Amino acid sequence: MKRRDFVRNAAWAGTAGALAACGNQSSDAAAQRDCEAADPIEWKMVTTWPRDFPGLGTGAARLAENITAMSGGRLTVKVYAGNELVPPFEVFDAVSRGTAEMGHGASYYWKGKIPASQFFIGVPFGIGGHELNGWFYYGGGMELYRETYAPFGVLPFVIGNSSTQAGGWFNKEINSLDDLKGLKMRIPGMGGEVIQRAGGTPVNIPGAELFTALQNGTIDAAEWVGPLNDLAFGLFRAAKYYYYPGWQEPGSALEGLVNIDAWNALPADLQSIVEVACQAAVTDMYAEFDALNGQALRTLIDEHGVELKRFPDEVLDELKRLTNEYLEELAASDPASRKVWDSLKSFSEQTQFNTSIGQQAIFETR
Ligand code: CA
């Protein structure tokens, strides 16, 4: 069954189930009694983000609120920010072992455990967030995502997108490839692998520790998200130059995780509510970033005097070459990565051609 049909069938089956089991119009009195008698299910959602952090923390909070509201309180989800229940980078393990029923984070944080997980946030110099959604929902991406995580007892969902990110914060200008050599930079996932190949030292630290590390010189540079989140962390106080484009994350898909036993214990209508609430969260997070990034960028430049700079073409060309080298090596060394990359790559080639004569061409006329 194609993903398109799966989504529709799951949504309609869930809706029908909800009406039959729990709707006000139900003619099935026994099912209605069962529904009313069932104890509310309580889930914990652990996240990799600081509490109420714009876009990411707020996205987690709204997803939890929506699931709780859409289910009429039959499934309540309580959010725990990073370190409140488990440290940010232990979210996957916590969901896998059932400490929490749900998680909210980013797939590349688990690359040490599952190398292929990195593809599900998108790849450097790759397709944008909207195109990536096409791959997930109509291009076979979601099936591969779930197949990849199944051995860990975890069911993944796309629950947002941070839109095109910024290139990051630097305390020295990047004028040539030599300027990347010896650079200690906070940059997770594939971007970090590429910086390492370019002669730098990638570091992955949770967002909440980023400002201090950049300010006290533990790291020389950092990429975090984009204007909204970077402004919120005050990164402009710790570094002088703000670089673009965000080659490392052209359109990052954020990740929801559900423990498979907790999922299987849900009735079909609650499963459908979780699935559709996750889809709605993607639109919601996109809208928040699109609405607030522009405003935040003006604040960074006009109020804080941030110097905006573009990476030189020579640097971007080499980072792109190193990205392709890394992607092929990863695929050659790991069968799961091979399978996911083959799918994403062929989808990307087809989609990018259409985007080039569509969205890209019209953007260039603005
Ligand atoms: Ca980032």
Side-chain angles (χ1 to χ4, degrees), residues 108 165 223-224 249:
Y108 55 20
Q165 300 205 357
E223 73 79 49
W224 172 223
E249 297 192 57

Side-chain angles (χ1 to χ4, degrees), residues 191-240:
E193 299 286 345
V194 172
I195 284 294
Q196 184 152 36
R197 284 163 188 251
T201 305
V203 184
N204 189 17
I205 49 176
E209 296 162 30
L210 213 154
F211 175 82
T212 308
L214 190 58
Q215 194 182 41
N216 69 19
T218 305
I219 53 176
D220 308 311
E223 73 79 49
W224 172 223
V225 184
L228 175 64
N229 294 129
D230 295 3
L231 174 68
F233 269 174
L235 297 179
F236 58 90
R237 294 196 186 91
K240 192 172 173 190

